[in-house]
Amino acid sequence: MTALTLSTAAASGLRADAIVVGVAKGAKGPVLAPGAEAVDQAFDGKLAALLETLGASGSEGEVSKLPSPTGLKAPLVLAVGLGALPGTPADGDDTTTAADYTDEVLRTAAGTAARALTGAKKAVFALPVADAEAVGAIAEGALLGAYAFDAYKETGRGNKNASKGKAPLAEIAVLGAKPRDKAHKAAVARALAITEELNRARDLVNTPPNDLDPEAFAAVATAAAKEHGIKVQVLDEKALAKGGYGGILGVGAGSAAGPRLVKLSYTHPDAEKHLAYIGKGITYDSGGISLKPAGHNETMKCDMAGAAAVFASVVAVARLGLAVNVTGWLALAENMPSGSATRPGDVLRMYSGKTVEVLNTDAEGRLVLADALAKASEEEPDAIVDVATLTGAMMVALGNRTFGINANDDAFRASIHETAEEAGEAAWPMPMPEHLRKGMDSPTADIANMGERMGGGLVAALFLREFVGEGITWAHLDIAGPAFNEGAPFGYTPKGGTGSGVRTLVRLAERTAAGDLG
């Protein structure tokens, strides 16, 4: 993990490989953001003009590298774009203060800079710092941007022809932050806990399915739980059969790797509320007998991203010591076709007692979640939130960077949306039209696992609602789009697993601990 320190020293006096400054897009050209004063002075006050000459505009995600002049101990200056200058008036007054920049702007800029400095040992981040929240955002963005998954790459050991990849940025110093300030120290501690666990979730999503089956995932969760004082319970095939978990067993029936249901219980002596988080953990999804077409299987190791998010968030909550009880449920199975696999037309008896006619075995996530929802409801938590890479339909609706929010309570759905925005995650509230429920009527069972094709993401949410205990507030996060980035990295988001949902779940726990459960 990249090391992080706070510093009140002048940028000019710090030894590092690079100094990072922010530049915004003003009405008249690039504008240096607060924090860059000492660096600009070394350029005789001409840094903004020089950047403009080089073609920089200050657009979000833009990176410009310049050799340092005499007066700076770091050999490189990296100017990262912050986007449009906030509140630029019509008269073109390009003055700016540190308070003008949102936490997400700072988080994104820091992540962009950290990625651009891959291979460097140390970088000084001289971005705008208005308060402790800004310190935390810069730290969070830089630590997430410095992520790399290289566990399976040849490092050159014993192979003189192997190429050696560059390591992530090794050390970050945040300028303008006060090492002895309680609020600043707390912001960094929070950033470390969240980013370390979020990056662990990314690692799990990126791990090949031959090394991460349900049993292996359960072992990782068990080890982390014991390390952080979290109670853990793992139900294997025998316990699942004895308990009547027909959904999880039905999905895992075709695989040589048996399914698991993992319960992670974090409790706090001062807690007044109880949250239940449920994650879809399909460690590989072939589609089962309803086999996915060619071109849709290659990234299906990511179908356990919901369970990874739940696991990471529970551990982060424990590390932060939040005064709220949180129970995480990881519904783990591998969906494979074989002679023992569930067939289209089969009927499963779920943990709740309801029967489900399986019309499509590739609609498997809702089956494992249904069992976990019913089980979690028995504890009567104050709210349940499930997280799942559930439907391609949600990606069609919202794209690859935004997750959908369904809920059985409008106020709670709005609260989750607000929470996601606070955490810096793109999300959007989605409806659950009652007329779509009829499409899941089955002549054979209580309900079918498929309904109308149009609005498939909404249909899936309606199916899940059937298994939530009466009177329990519930929300469903469909992270199918943002959970796995198949494109180029951007901001603090890498290629591959992203850790989508972790920051929202942790922020919800923080708000709940503070008495603000929507």
Side-chain angles (χ1 to χ4, degrees):
M1 189 69 183
T2 301
L4 188 141
T5 58
L6 304 182
S7 177
T8 56
S12 57
L14 287 174
R15 295 188 181 278
D17 295 311
I19 299 176
V20 177
V21 299
V23 56
K25 186 176 184 179
K28 300 176 181 178
V31 178
L32 294 179
E37 294 84 0
V39 177
D40 187 37
Q41 185 177 359
F43 281 93
D44 296 326
K46 299 177 181 179
L47 179 54
L50 179 57
L51 287 168
E52 186 172 21
T53 300
L54 293 174
S57 66
S59 299
E60 180 183 323
E62 181 181 76
V63 171
S64 302
K65 294 181 179 180
L66 303 85
S68 297
T70 302
L72 296 180
K73 291 186 177 180
L76 178 72
V77 172
L78 186 150
V80 60
L82 302 176
L85 186 67
T88 302
D91 62 6
D93 180 8
D94 282 347
T95 58
T96 177
T97 68
D100 290 333
Y101 300 94
T102 67
D103 290 347
E104 182 60 12
V105 166
L106 297 175
R107 192 181 289 116
T108 300
T112 300
R115 284 194 302 102
L117 291 170
T118 296
K121 291 183 178 179
K122 181 178 180 179
V124 174
F125 282 67
L127 295 173
V129 173
D131 50 27
E133 285 71 25
V135 172
I138 294 169
E140 196 173 293
L143 291 169
L144 292 177
Y147 172 81
F149 182 74
D150 55 9
Y152 291 82
K153 291 190 175 181
E154 174 61 68
T155 61
R157 290 174 296 180
N159 182 0
K160 63 181 181 180
N161 296 317
S163 61
K164 296 183 179 181
K166 292 182 179 179
L169 175 61
E171 184 179 350
I172 295 161
V174 180
L175 292 193
K178 303 171 184 177
R180 297 183 180 180
D181 184 280
K182 289 184 178 180
H184 287 200
K185 289 170 64 177
V188 169
R190 178 185 185 274
L192 284 169
I194 291 174
T195 56
E196 286 177 4
E197 297 312 321
L198 192 153
N199 283 337
R200 193 200 315 238
R202 288 173 169 179
D203 284 348
L204 286 168
V205 174
N206 289 327
T207 299
N210 58 314
D211 280 346
L212 191 76
D213 61 16
E215 183 179 4
F217 195 148
V220 171
T222 298
K226 291 180 178 178
E227 179 184 354
H228 295 287
I230 300 167
K231 292 183 179 179
V232 60
Q233 179 186 16
V234 179
L235 301 185
D236 61 12
E237 302 99 318
K238 291 182 178 179
L240 290 169
K242 184 177 179 180
Y245 294 86
I248 297 174
L249 288 167
V251 173
S255 174
R260 297 289 187 272
L261 178 62
V262 180
K263 179 184 180 183
L264 303 169
S265 302
Y266 164 75
T267 58
H268 192 282
D270 299 326
E272 296 182 356
K273 297 289 185 180
H274 176 201
L275 297 174
Y277 293 161
I278 298 171
K280 172 188 172 183
I282 305 301
T283 57
Y284 182 74
D285 182 19
S286 69
I289 297 298
S290 304
L291 193 67
K292 291 179 182 293
H296 291 76
N297 282 291
E298 291 77 4
T299 61
M300 280 300 102
K301 64 181 182 180
C302 79
D303 213 21
M304 37 58 67
V310 167
F311 163 57
S313 65
V314 175
V315 176
V317 167
R319 289 180 59 174
L320 294 171
L322 300 181
V324 57
N325 294 336
V326 181
T327 304
W329 299 87
L330 315 181
L332 309 175
E334 185 178 59
N335 188 24
M336 296 290 285
S338 75
S340 60
T342 295
R343 297 152 292 222
D346 283 355
V347 173
L348 304 177
R349 185 170 296 279
M350 312 297 282
Y351 178 81
S352 68
K354 281 188 172 72
T355 54
V356 176
E357 182 182 10
V358 179
L359 299 181
N360 187 327
T361 63
D362 196 24
E364 85 298 329
R366 64 199 68 182
L367 298 176
V368 300
L369 288 174
D371 274 354
L373 283 166
K375 180 62 177 178
S377 294
E378 291 181 346
E379 297 186 349
E380 299 183 348
D382 294 285
I384 295 176
V385 180
D386 76 70
V387 190
T389 49
L390 205 62
T391 66
M394 197 63 75
M395 297 171 66
V396 172
L398 299 177
N400 293 325
R401 299 190 183 185
T402 304
F403 63 74
I405 308 169
N406 300 91
N408 61 1
D409 180 273
D410 290 345
F412 189 54
R413 182 181 61 187
S415 180
I416 295 291
H417 183 211
E418 182 178 76
T419 300
E421 288 186 326
E422 287 180 4
E425 297 201 88
W428 197 251
M430 301 294 284
M432 290 195 296
E434 291 298 332
H435 70 272
L436 291 176
R437 169 61 183 83
K438 185 173 178 58
M440 290 183 285
D441 285 348
S442 166
T444 307
D446 295 320
I447 190 173
N449 77 329
M450 293 292 289
E452 294 184 27
R453 177 172 173 269
M454 298 301 178
L458 314 182
V459 170
L462 285 165
F463 178 90
L464 294 178
R465 189 184 65 178
E466 296 279 323
F467 298 88
V468 178
E470 186 175 353
I472 297 177
T473 302
W474 159 79
H476 160 63
L477 312 185
D478 191 335
I479 62 170
F484 196 85
N485 176 29
E486 294 187 62
F490 59 93
Y492 50 82
T493 301
K495 186 178 180 67
T498 65
S500 178
V502 173
R503 289 179 291 148
T504 296
L505 294 180
V506 174
R507 183 68 190 124
L508 178 62
E510 289 176 325
R511 292 182 60 168
T512 303
D516 185 24
L517 178 62

